[in-house]
mmCIF file of all heavy atoms in Angstrom:
data_model
loop_
_atom_site.group_PDB
_atom_site.id
_atom_site.type_symbol
_atom_site.label_atom_id
_atom_site.label_comp_id
_atom_site.label_asym_id
_atom_site.label_seq_id
_atom_site.Cartn_x
_atom_site.Cartn_y
_atom_site.Cartn_z
ATOM 1 N N TYR K 99 -8.162 -91.257 -60.838
ATOM 2 C CA TYR K 99 -7.891 -89.829 -60.876
ATOM 3 C C TYR K 99 -7.620 -89.368 -62.299
ATOM 4 O O TYR K 99 -7.166 -90.134 -63.146
ATOM 5 C CB TYR K 99 -6.647 -89.485 -60.033
ATOM 6 C CG TYR K 99 -6.742 -89.868 -58.585
ATOM 7 C CD1 TYR K 99 -6.311 -91.118 -58.153
ATOM 8 C CD2 TYR K 99 -7.252 -88.982 -57.647
ATOM 9 C CE1 TYR K 99 -6.385 -91.471 -56.816
ATOM 10 C CE2 TYR K 99 -7.329 -89.327 -56.304
ATOM 11 C CZ TYR K 99 -6.892 -90.573 -55.905
ATOM 12 O OH TYR K 99 -6.978 -90.916 -54.586
ATOM 13 N N THR K 100 -7.887 -88.078 -62.530
ATOM 14 C CA THR K 100 -7.424 -87.394 -63.731
ATOM 15 C C THR K 100 -6.462 -86.305 -63.281
ATOM 16 O O THR K 100 -6.818 -85.487 -62.436
ATOM 17 C CB THR K 100 -8.603 -86.759 -64.504
ATOM 18 O OG1 THR K 100 -9.515 -87.797 -64.894
ATOM 19 C CG2 THR K 100 -8.101 -86.005 -65.731
ATOM 20 N N ASN K 101 -5.250 -86.318 -63.787
ATOM 21 C CA ASN K 101 -4.283 -85.281 -63.454
ATOM 22 C C ASN K 101 -4.500 -84.090 -64.378
ATOM 23 O O ASN K 101 -4.359 -84.201 -65.597
ATOM 24 C CB ASN K 101 -2.842 -85.802 -63.592
ATOM 25 C CG ASN K 101 -2.311 -86.332 -62.278
ATOM 26 O OD1 ASN K 101 -3.084 -86.639 -61.383
ATOM 27 N ND2 ASN K 101 -1.008 -86.451 -62.150
ATOM 28 N N VAL K 102 -4.833 -82.946 -63.804
ATOM 29 C CA VAL K 102 -5.172 -81.754 -64.581
ATOM 30 C C VAL K 102 -4.117 -80.679 -64.334
ATOM 31 O O VAL K 102 -3.830 -80.355 -63.171
ATOM 32 C CB VAL K 102 -6.561 -81.214 -64.184
ATOM 33 C CG1 VAL K 102 -6.942 -80.031 -65.069
ATOM 34 C CG2 VAL K 102 -7.615 -82.321 -64.271
ATOM 35 N N PRO K 103 -3.527 -80.106 -65.383
ATOM 36 C CA PRO K 103 -2.593 -78.988 -65.183
ATOM 37 C C PRO K 103 -3.272 -77.856 -64.429
ATOM 38 O O PRO K 103 -4.452 -77.552 -64.689
ATOM 39 C CB PRO K 103 -2.220 -78.568 -66.613
ATOM 40 C CG PRO K 103 -2.481 -79.779 -67.443
ATOM 41 C CD PRO K 103 -3.659 -80.462 -66.808
ATOM 42 N N TRP K 104 -2.551 -77.221 -63.514
ATOM 43 C CA TRP K 104 -3.189 -76.212 -62.669
ATOM 44 C C TRP K 104 -3.740 -75.051 -63.492
ATOM 45 O O TRP K 104 -4.786 -74.488 -63.158
ATOM 46 C CB TRP K 104 -2.219 -75.714 -61.599
ATOM 47 C CG TRP K 104 -1.111 -74.817 -62.092
ATOM 48 C CD1 TRP K 104 0.136 -75.182 -62.474
ATOM 49 C CD2 TRP K 104 -1.173 -73.392 -62.248
ATOM 50 N NE1 TRP K 104 0.861 -74.093 -62.877
ATOM 51 C CE2 TRP K 104 0.088 -72.974 -62.743
ATOM 52 C CE3 TRP K 104 -2.156 -72.434 -62.029
ATOM 53 C CZ2 TRP K 104 0.367 -71.630 -63.022
ATOM 54 C CZ3 TRP K 104 -1.872 -71.104 -62.301
ATOM 55 C CH2 TRP K 104 -0.623 -70.717 -62.785
ATOM 56 N N GLU K 105 -3.053 -74.707 -64.596
ATOM 57 C CA GLU K 105 -3.531 -73.597 -65.421
ATOM 58 C C GLU K 105 -4.901 -73.916 -66.034
ATOM 59 O O GLU K 105 -5.780 -73.052 -66.106
ATOM 60 C CB GLU K 105 -2.539 -73.285 -66.545
ATOM 61 C CG GLU K 105 -1.144 -72.894 -66.078
ATOM 62 C CD GLU K 105 -0.184 -74.070 -66.083
ATOM 63 O OE1 GLU K 105 -0.653 -75.231 -65.920
ATOM 64 O OE2 GLU K 105 1.038 -73.842 -66.246
ATOM 65 N N GLN K 106 -5.073 -75.171 -66.459
ATOM 66 C CA GLN K 106 -6.353 -75.585 -67.043
ATOM 67 C C GLN K 106 -7.447 -75.590 -65.978
ATOM 68 O O GLN K 106 -8.579 -75.146 -66.220
ATOM 69 C CB GLN K 106 -6.232 -76.973 -67.673
ATOM 70 C CG GLN K 106 -7.525 -77.448 -68.340
ATOM 71 C CD GLN K 106 -7.407 -78.849 -68.922
ATOM 72 O OE1 GLN K 106 -6.385 -79.534 -68.732
ATOM 73 N NE2 GLN K 106 -8.440 -79.288 -69.626
ATOM 74 N N LEU K 107 -7.096 -76.073 -64.800
ATOM 75 C CA LEU K 107 -8.066 -76.117 -63.705
ATOM 76 C C LEU K 107 -8.515 -74.704 -63.328
ATOM 77 O O LEU K 107 -9.702 -74.452 -63.105
ATOM 78 C CB LEU K 107 -7.442 -76.813 -62.504
ATOM 79 C CG LEU K 107 -8.381 -77.426 -61.473
ATOM 80 C CD1 LEU K 107 -9.278 -78.483 -62.110
ATOM 81 C CD2 LEU K 107 -7.580 -78.029 -60.323
ATOM 82 N N GLN K 108 -7.568 -73.783 -63.309
ATOM 83 C CA GLN K 108 -7.909 -72.402 -62.959
ATOM 84 C C GLN K 108 -8.763 -71.760 -64.047
ATOM 85 O O GLN K 108 -9.763 -71.091 -63.750
ATOM 86 C CB GLN K 108 -6.633 -71.596 -62.745
ATOM 87 C CG GLN K 108 -6.874 -70.192 -62.206
ATOM 88 C CD GLN K 108 -5.610 -69.594 -61.622
ATOM 89 O OE1 GLN K 108 -5.046 -70.102 -60.657
ATOM 90 N NE2 GLN K 108 -5.132 -68.510 -62.222
ATOM 91 N N ALA K 109 -8.393 -71.962 -65.301
ATOM 92 C CA ALA K 109 -9.163 -71.380 -66.405
ATOM 93 C C ALA K 109 -10.585 -71.933 -66.429
ATOM 94 O O ALA K 109 -11.553 -71.198 -66.669
ATOM 95 C CB ALA K 109 -8.465 -71.652 -67.729
ATOM 96 N N SER K 110 -10.731 -73.238 -66.152
ATOM 97 C CA SER K 110 -12.062 -73.851 -66.136
ATOM 98 C C SER K 110 -12.909 -73.284 -65.009
ATOM 99 O O SER K 110 -14.112 -73.045 -65.173
ATOM 100 C CB SER K 110 -11.933 -75.369 -65.983
ATOM 101 O OG SER K 110 -11.298 -75.937 -67.110
ATOM 102 N N THR K 111 -12.287 -73.053 -63.856
ATOM 103 C CA THR K 111 -13.015 -72.510 -62.706
ATOM 104 C C THR K 111 -13.438 -71.069 -62.973
ATOM 105 O O THR K 111 -14.561 -70.665 -62.642
ATOM 106 C CB THR K 111 -12.162 -72.610 -61.433
ATOM 107 O OG1 THR K 111 -11.726 -73.968 -61.261
ATOM 108 C CG2 THR K 111 -12.944 -72.177 -60.204
ATOM 109 N N VAL K 112 -12.554 -70.291 -63.572
ATOM 110 C CA VAL K 112 -12.916 -68.928 -63.969
ATOM 111 C C VAL K 112 -14.119 -68.959 -64.911
ATOM 112 O O VAL K 112 -15.081 -68.190 -64.749
ATOM 113 C CB VAL K 112 -11.729 -68.207 -64.638
ATOM 114 C CG1 VAL K 112 -12.190 -66.914 -65.310
ATOM 115 C CG2 VAL K 112 -10.633 -67.900 -63.625
ATOM 116 N N ALA K 113 -14.075 -69.849 -65.889
ATOM 117 C CA ALA K 113 -15.163 -69.928 -66.881
ATOM 118 C C ALA K 113 -16.498 -70.264 -66.225
ATOM 119 O O ALA K 113 -17.545 -69.697 -66.586
ATOM 120 C CB ALA K 113 -14.819 -70.976 -67.935
ATOM 121 N N VAL K 114 -16.488 -71.161 -65.241
ATOM 122 C CA VAL K 114 -17.734 -71.538 -64.558
ATOM 123 C C VAL K 114 -18.322 -70.341 -63.823
ATOM 124 O O VAL K 114 -19.523 -70.064 -63.917
ATOM 125 C CB VAL K 114 -17.475 -72.705 -63.586
ATOM 126 C CG1 VAL K 114 -18.649 -72.868 -62.618
ATOM 127 C CG2 VAL K 114 -17.264 -73.996 -64.356
ATOM 128 N N PHE K 115 -17.484 -69.597 -63.088
ATOM 129 C CA PHE K 115 -18.022 -68.474 -62.320
ATOM 130 C C PHE K 115 -18.390 -67.291 -63.205
ATOM 131 O O PHE K 115 -19.338 -66.553 -62.887
ATOM 132 C CB PHE K 115 -17.062 -68.086 -61.194
ATOM 133 C CG PHE K 115 -17.160 -69.031 -60.036
ATOM 134 C CD1 PHE K 115 -16.267 -70.074 -59.899
ATOM 135 C CD2 PHE K 115 -18.186 -68.904 -59.118
ATOM 136 C CE1 PHE K 115 -16.384 -70.970 -58.848
ATOM 137 C CE2 PHE K 115 -18.319 -69.794 -58.058
ATOM 138 C CZ PHE K 115 -17.410 -70.840 -57.920
ATOM 139 N N ARG K 116 -17.698 -67.123 -64.314
ATOM 140 C CA ARG K 116 -18.124 -66.090 -65.268
ATOM 141 C C ARG K 116 -19.501 -66.446 -65.831
ATOM 142 O O ARG K 116 -20.384 -65.589 -65.946
ATOM 143 C CB ARG K 116 -17.102 -65.960 -66.401
ATOM 144 C CG ARG K 116 -15.789 -65.329 -65.983
ATOM 145 C CD ARG K 116 -15.938 -63.834 -65.708
ATOM 146 N NE ARG K 116 -16.090 -63.091 -66.956
ATOM 147 C CZ ARG K 116 -16.850 -62.015 -67.104
ATOM 148 N NH1 ARG K 116 -17.579 -61.574 -66.084
ATOM 149 N NH2 ARG K 116 -16.895 -61.374 -68.256
ATOM 150 N N ALA K 117 -19.686 -67.740 -66.154
ATOM 151 C CA ALA K 117 -20.976 -68.185 -66.679
ATOM 152 C C ALA K 117 -22.071 -68.069 -65.619
ATOM 153 O O ALA K 117 -23.241 -67.829 -65.939
ATOM 154 C CB ALA K 117 -20.872 -69.626 -67.171
ATOM 155 N N ALA K 118 -21.687 -68.208 -64.343
ATOM 156 C CA ALA K 118 -22.667 -68.094 -63.257
ATOM 157 C C ALA K 118 -23.036 -66.653 -62.961
ATOM 158 O O ALA K 118 -24.023 -66.397 -62.260
ATOM 159 C CB ALA K 118 -22.119 -68.760 -62.003
ATOM 160 N N GLY K 119 -22.236 -65.685 -63.485
ATOM 161 C CA GLY K 119 -22.566 -64.281 -63.299
ATOM 162 C C GLY K 119 -21.526 -63.437 -62.605
ATOM 163 O O GLY K 119 -21.709 -62.229 -62.431
ATOM 164 N N SER K 120 -20.379 -64.036 -62.187
ATOM 165 C CA SER K 120 -19.332 -63.261 -61.530
ATOM 166 C C SER K 120 -18.650 -62.327 -62.516
ATOM 167 O O SER K 120 -18.457 -62.672 -63.694
ATOM 168 C CB SER K 120 -18.268 -64.190 -60.932
ATOM 169 O OG SER K 120 -18.772 -64.912 -59.838
ATOM 170 N N ASP K 121 -18.241 -61.142 -62.023
ATOM 171 C CA ASP K 121 -17.406 -60.291 -62.865
ATOM 172 C C ASP K 121 -16.003 -60.889 -62.937
ATOM 173 O O ASP K 121 -15.680 -61.877 -62.261
ATOM 174 C CB ASP K 121 -17.393 -58.842 -62.364
ATOM 175 C CG ASP K 121 -16.813 -58.672 -60.968
ATOM 176 O OD1 ASP K 121 -15.975 -59.493 -60.544
ATOM 177 O OD2 ASP K 121 -17.186 -57.690 -60.283
ATOM 178 N N VAL K 122 -15.156 -60.297 -63.768
ATOM 179 C CA VAL K 122 -13.843 -60.887 -64.040
ATOM 180 C C VAL K 122 -13.014 -61.000 -62.766
ATOM 181 O O VAL K 122 -12.396 -62.038 -62.490
ATOM 182 C CB VAL K 122 -13.095 -60.056 -65.109
ATOM 183 C CG1 VAL K 122 -11.656 -60.540 -65.254
ATOM 184 C CG2 VAL K 122 -13.816 -60.137 -66.451
ATOM 185 N N ARG K 123 -12.975 -59.930 -61.958
ATOM 186 C CA ARG K 123 -12.150 -59.945 -60.747
ATOM 187 C C ARG K 123 -12.620 -61.026 -59.781
ATOM 188 O O ARG K 123 -11.800 -61.771 -59.219
ATOM 189 C CB ARG K 123 -12.187 -58.576 -60.055
ATOM 190 C CG ARG K 123 -11.394 -58.527 -58.751
ATOM 191 C CD ARG K 123 -11.397 -57.126 -58.147
ATOM 192 N NE ARG K 123 -10.560 -57.051 -56.970
ATOM 193 C CZ ARG K 123 -11.005 -57.086 -55.706
ATOM 194 N NH1 ARG K 123 -12.316 -57.172 -55.481
ATOM 195 N NH2 ARG K 123 -10.171 -57.014 -54.688
ATOM 196 N N GLU K 124 -13.910 -61.122 -59.559
ATOM 197 C CA GLU K 124 -14.436 -62.113 -58.626
ATOM 198 C C GLU K 124 -14.125 -63.529 -59.099
ATOM 199 O O GLU K 124 -13.644 -64.367 -58.312
ATOM 200 C CB GLU K 124 -15.940 -61.928 -58.475
ATOM 201 C CG GLU K 124 -16.585 -62.936 -57.532
ATOM 202 C CD GLU K 124 -18.033 -62.595 -57.256
ATOM 203 O OE1 GLU K 124 -18.910 -63.071 -58.014
ATOM 204 O OE2 GLU K 124 -18.278 -61.852 -56.280
ATOM 205 N N ALA K 125 -14.390 -63.812 -60.367
ATOM 206 C CA ALA K 125 -14.132 -65.146 -60.896
ATOM 207 C C ALA K 125 -12.656 -65.505 -60.761
ATOM 208 O O ALA K 125 -12.305 -66.639 -60.411
ATOM 209 C CB ALA K 125 -14.567 -65.232 -62.360
ATOM 210 N N GLN K 126 -11.776 -64.529 -61.023
ATOM 211 C CA GLN K 126 -10.343 -64.780 -60.943
ATOM 212 C C GLN K 126 -9.905 -65.032 -59.504
ATOM 213 O O GLN K 126 -9.135 -65.966 -59.234
ATOM 214 C CB GLN K 126 -9.571 -63.588 -61.523
ATOM 215 C CG GLN K 126 -8.087 -63.862 -61.770
ATOM 216 C CD GLN K 126 -7.842 -64.836 -62.904
ATOM 217 O OE1 GLN K 126 -8.610 -64.893 -63.876
ATOM 218 N NE2 GLN K 126 -6.774 -65.613 -62.793
ATOM 219 N N LEU K 127 -10.382 -64.227 -58.554
ATOM 220 C CA LEU K 127 -9.996 -64.409 -57.153
ATOM 221 C C LEU K 127 -10.497 -65.745 -56.604
ATOM 222 O O LEU K 127 -9.773 -66.442 -55.872
ATOM 223 C CB LEU K 127 -10.516 -63.256 -56.297
ATOM 224 C CG LEU K 127 -9.751 -61.936 -56.401
ATOM 225 C CD1 LEU K 127 -10.476 -60.834 -55.635
ATOM 226 C CD2 LEU K 127 -8.319 -62.083 -55.875
ATOM 227 N N ILE K 128 -11.719 -66.119 -56.945
ATOM 228 C CA ILE K 128 -12.243 -67.413 -56.503
ATOM 229 C C ILE K 128 -11.393 -68.539 -57.070
ATOM 230 O O ILE K 128 -10.947 -69.444 -56.347
ATOM 231 C CB ILE K 128 -13.713 -67.589 -56.925
ATOM 232 C CG1 ILE K 128 -14.613 -66.605 -56.191
ATOM 233 C CG2 ILE K 128 -14.174 -69.029 -56.645
ATOM 234 C CD1 ILE K 128 -16.047 -66.586 -56.691
ATOM 235 N N ALA K 129 -11.148 -68.496 -58.375
ATOM 236 C CA ALA K 129 -10.416 -69.578 -59.034
ATOM 237 C C ALA K 129 -8.982 -69.682 -58.519
ATOM 238 O O ALA K 129 -8.486 -70.786 -58.255
ATOM 239 C CB ALA K 129 -10.425 -69.361 -60.547
ATOM 240 N N GLU K 130 -8.315 -68.550 -58.379
ATOM 241 C CA GLU K 130 -6.933 -68.582 -57.884
ATOM 242 C C GLU K 130 -6.863 -69.186 -56.491
ATOM 243 O O GLU K 130 -5.967 -69.982 -56.192
ATOM 244 C CB GLU K 130 -6.357 -67.163 -57.870
ATOM 245 C CG GLU K 130 -6.051 -66.611 -59.255
ATOM 246 C CD GLU K 130 -5.599 -65.166 -59.209
ATOM 247 O OE1 GLU K 130 -5.575 -64.570 -58.102
ATOM 248 O OE2 GLU K 130 -5.272 -64.616 -60.286
ATOM 249 N N HIS K 131 -7.785 -68.815 -55.645
ATOM 250 C CA HIS K 131 -7.790 -69.326 -54.276
ATOM 251 C C HIS K 131 -8.019 -70.835 -54.259
ATOM 252 O O HIS K 131 -7.298 -71.577 -53.581
ATOM 253 C CB HIS K 131 -8.883 -68.618 -53.475
ATOM 254 C CG HIS K 131 -8.976 -69.075 -52.052
ATOM 255 N ND1 HIS K 131 -8.553 -68.313 -50.995
ATOM 256 C CD2 HIS K 131 -9.431 -70.231 -51.503
ATOM 257 C CE1 HIS K 131 -8.742 -68.974 -49.869
ATOM 258 N NE2 HIS K 131 -9.289 -70.141 -50.155
ATOM 259 N N LEU K 132 -9.056 -71.294 -54.977
ATOM 260 C CA LEU K 132 -9.399 -72.713 -54.950
ATOM 261 C C LEU K 132 -8.276 -73.571 -55.528
ATOM 262 O O LEU K 132 -7.918 -74.611 -54.962
ATOM 263 C CB LEU K 132 -10.705 -72.955 -55.703
ATOM 264 C CG LEU K 132 -11.951 -72.269 -55.144
ATOM 265 C CD1 LEU K 132 -13.182 -72.680 -55.950
ATOM 266 C CD2 LEU K 132 -12.154 -72.568 -53.670
ATOM 267 N N VAL K 133 -7.709 -73.147 -56.644
ATOM 268 C CA VAL K 133 -6.643 -73.932 -57.261
ATOM 269 C C VAL K 133 -5.387 -73.906 -56.398
ATOM 270 O O VAL K 133 -4.666 -74.905 -56.292
ATOM 271 C CB VAL K 133 -6.366 -73.437 -58.697
ATOM 272 C CG1 VAL K 133 -5.139 -74.122 -59.285
ATOM 273 C CG2 VAL K 133 -7.586 -73.693 -59.580
ATOM 274 N N GLU K 134 -5.123 -72.785 -55.740
ATOM 275 C CA GLU K 134 -3.972 -72.732 -54.830
ATOM 276 C C GLU K 134 -4.151 -73.736 -53.691
ATOM 277 O O GLU K 134 -3.189 -74.385 -53.260
ATOM 278 C CB GLU K 134 -3.807 -71.317 -54.260
ATOM 279 C CG GLU K 134 -2.586 -71.132 -53.391
ATOM 280 C CD GLU K 134 -1.263 -71.225 -54.135
ATOM 281 O OE1 GLU K 134 -1.240 -71.071 -55.378
ATOM 282 O OE2 GLU K 134 -0.233 -71.447 -53.460
ATOM 283 N N ALA K 135 -5.384 -73.902 -53.197
ATOM 284 C CA ALA K 135 -5.636 -74.907 -52.164
ATOM 285 C C ALA K 135 -5.331 -76.308 -52.692
ATOM 286 O O ALA K 135 -4.723 -77.131 -51.996
ATOM 287 C CB ALA K 135 -7.085 -74.821 -51.685
ATOM 288 N N ASN K 136 -5.747 -76.592 -53.932
ATOM 289 C CA ASN K 136 -5.393 -77.873 -54.537
ATOM 290 C C ASN K 136 -3.887 -78.041 -54.653
ATOM 291 O O ASN K 136 -3.336 -79.105 -54.347
ATOM 292 C CB ASN K 136 -6.015 -78.013 -55.925
ATOM 293 C CG ASN K 136 -7.496 -78.288 -55.913
ATOM 294 O OD1 ASN K 136 -8.290 -77.484 -56.393
ATOM 295 N ND2 ASN K 136 -7.902 -79.430 -55.370
ATOM 296 N N LEU K 137 -3.203 -76.996 -55.119
ATOM 297 C CA LEU K 137 -1.760 -77.070 -55.261
ATOM 298 C C LEU K 137 -1.087 -77.358 -53.926
ATOM 299 O O LEU K 137 -0.111 -78.104 -53.854
ATOM 300 C CB LEU K 137 -1.209 -75.762 -55.849
ATOM 301 C CG LEU K 137 -1.457 -75.529 -57.337
ATOM 302 C CD1 LEU K 137 -1.045 -74.111 -57.731
ATOM 303 C CD2 LEU K 137 -0.692 -76.550 -58.185
ATOM 304 N N ARG K 138 -1.611 -76.777 -52.861
ATOM 305 C CA ARG K 138 -1.017 -76.968 -51.532
ATOM 306 C C ARG K 138 -1.375 -78.314 -50.916
ATOM 307 O O ARG K 138 -0.976 -78.628 -49.805
ATOM 308 C CB ARG K 138 -1.486 -75.859 -50.592
ATOM 309 C CG ARG K 138 -1.138 -74.450 -51.049
ATOM 310 C CD ARG K 138 0.259 -74.042 -50.689
ATOM 311 N NE ARG K 138 0.551 -72.684 -51.125
ATOM 312 C CZ ARG K 138 1.231 -71.802 -50.389
ATOM 313 N NH1 ARG K 138 1.690 -72.140 -49.213
ATOM 314 N NH2 ARG K 138 1.473 -70.595 -50.868
ATOM 315 N N GLY K 139 -2.162 -79.112 -51.633
ATOM 316 C CA GLY K 139 -2.516 -80.438 -51.131
ATOM 317 C C GLY K 139 -3.790 -80.485 -50.332
ATOM 318 O O GLY K 139 -4.169 -81.537 -49.818
ATOM 319 N N HIS K 140 -4.508 -79.363 -50.228
ATOM 320 C CA HIS K 140 -5.754 -79.309 -49.478
ATOM 321 C C HIS K 140 -6.942 -79.372 -50.442
ATOM 322 O O HIS K 140 -7.643 -78.377 -50.673
ATOM 323 C CB HIS K 140 -5.793 -78.056 -48.607
ATOM 324 C CG HIS K 140 -4.768 -78.063 -47.524
ATOM 325 N ND1 HIS K 140 -4.845 -78.909 -46.444
ATOM 326 C CD2 HIS K 140 -3.619 -77.345 -47.362
ATOM 327 C CE1 HIS K 140 -3.799 -78.715 -45.646
ATOM 328 N NE2 HIS K 140 -3.042 -77.775 -46.190
ATOM 329 N N ASP K 141 -7.150 -80.559 -51.017
ATOM 330 C CA ASP K 141 -8.226 -80.729 -51.990
ATOM 331 C C ASP K 141 -9.592 -80.475 -51.362
ATOM 332 O O ASP K 141 -10.555 -80.156 -52.066
ATOM 333 C CB ASP K 141 -8.165 -82.139 -52.579
ATOM 334 C CG ASP K 141 -6.895 -82.370 -53.377
ATOM 335 O OD1 ASP K 141 -6.421 -81.415 -54.031
ATOM 336 O OD2 ASP K 141 -6.361 -83.496 -53.340
ATOM 337 N N SER K 142 -9.682 -80.603 -50.043
ATOM 338 C CA SER K 142 -10.931 -80.322 -49.342
ATOM 339 C C SER K 142 -11.398 -78.890 -49.549
ATOM 340 O O SER K 142 -12.590 -78.593 -49.466
ATOM 341 C CB SER K 142 -10.734 -80.566 -47.839
ATOM 342 O OG SER K 142 -9.638 -79.797 -47.350
ATOM 343 N N HIS K 143 -10.453 -77.986 -49.815
ATOM 344 C CA HIS K 143 -10.771 -76.576 -49.993
ATOM 345 C C HIS K 143 -10.508 -76.102 -51.425
ATOM 346 O O HIS K 143 -10.456 -74.906 -51.692
ATOM 347 C CB HIS K 143 -9.955 -75.724 -49.019
ATOM 348 C CG HIS K 143 -10.365 -75.910 -47.588
ATOM 349 N ND1 HIS K 143 -10.199 -77.110 -46.920
ATOM 350 C CD2 HIS K 143 -10.946 -75.069 -46.707
ATOM 351 C CE1 HIS K 143 -10.650 -76.987 -45.683
ATOM 352 N NE2 HIS K 143 -11.121 -75.756 -45.533
ATOM 353 N N GLY K 144 -10.324 -77.058 -52.325
ATOM 354 C CA GLY K 144 -10.023 -76.733 -53.708
ATOM 355 C C GLY K 144 -11.261 -76.684 -54.582
ATOM 356 O O GLY K 144 -12.371 -76.401 -54.117
ATOM 357 N N VAL K 145 -11.091 -77.000 -55.862
ATOM 358 C CA VAL K 145 -12.187 -76.840 -56.819
ATOM 359 C C VAL K 145 -13.360 -77.769 -56.550
ATOM 360 O O VAL K 145 -14.441 -77.577 -57.097
ATOM 361 C CB VAL K 145 -11.686 -77.023 -58.269
ATOM 362 C CG1 VAL K 145 -10.665 -75.953 -58.630
ATOM 363 C CG2 VAL K 145 -11.120 -78.431 -58.474
#
């Protein structure tokens, strides 16, 4: 495993969706949701 700070994981996810074409709000909502799933222990629904 690599232990990644949640802030870094969220910023990286935002960057991927911005690069894929999402606007700022969409990229942020996707990233916040996915990282929150990881934080809650549900990696199946995380990044």
Side-chain angles (χ1 to χ4, degrees):
Y99 301 90
T100 299
N101 267 19
V102 184
W104 73 267
E105 300 96 332
Q106 182 182 6
L107 202 59
Q108 187 163 298
S110 295
T111 306
V112 168
V114 165
F115 282 97
R116 289 288 286 145
S120 291
D121 62 27
V122 172
R123 178 177 185 259
E124 179 172 90
Q126 193 69 32
L127 284 173
I128 293 172
E130 288 175 357
H131 180 107
L132 298 184
V133 173
E134 184 68 19
N136 286 116
L137 286 171
R138 301 277 181 139
H140 294 290
D141 295 325
S142 55
H143 291 65
V145 297

